[in-house]
Amino acid sequence: MEGDKMEFIWVLVVCPIIVAVTSIIGYILVRRWFVMPLITFIVFTIFTFTIFNETFIIWVVVYTILSVIISLMMKFVKDYIISS
């Protein structure tokens, strides 16, 4: 039972925070909005088949979409600041 709670917290709290922070930092460093979602997809797909099981693949999609949203938000904020 305790392991299920830790996995639940890991999937719903820790991983999204890691994805958000790395997406922001990655966008600042690389300046391309598509790089961090691609890296997120690759890394979590590898995690799916090495650490987790195949049911984690839905979370790969969710984390990739989260990374796309954050990266695009960073791009639009940068464009807005530059145009102002």
Side-chain angles (χ1 to χ4, degrees):
M1 186 70 174
E2 187 66 30
D4 291 339
K5 286 183 184 180
M6 288 304 297
E7 185 175 333
F8 186 73
I9 291 172
W10 176 259
V11 169
L12 289 179
V13 178
V14 176
C15 285
I17 291 172
I18 292 170
V19 168
V21 170
T22 56
S23 294
I24 292 169
I25 293 171
Y27 181 79
I28 291 170
L29 294 175
V30 180
R31 301 261 189 236
R32 301 278 187 249
W33 71 267
F34 58 86
V35 172
M36 286 314 295
L38 184 62
I39 292 172
T40 300
F41 179 77
I42 292 168
V43 168
F44 279 106
T45 300
I46 291 169
F47 285 172
T48 297
F49 296 109
T50 58
I51 299 172
F52 303 108
N53 57 22
E54 290 79 19
T55 59
F56 190 76
I57 199 74
I58 188 67
W59 291 108
V60 173
V61 174
V62 170
Y63 298 148
T64 303
I65 291 170
L66 176 64
S67 183
V68 167
I69 291 169
I70 291 171
S71 295
L72 287 175
M73 285 173 50
M74 292 293 295
K75 179 185 181 321
F76 291 132
V77 166
K78 183 193 84 158
D79 292 345
Y80 178 76
I81 291 172
I82 289 174
S83 69
S84 293

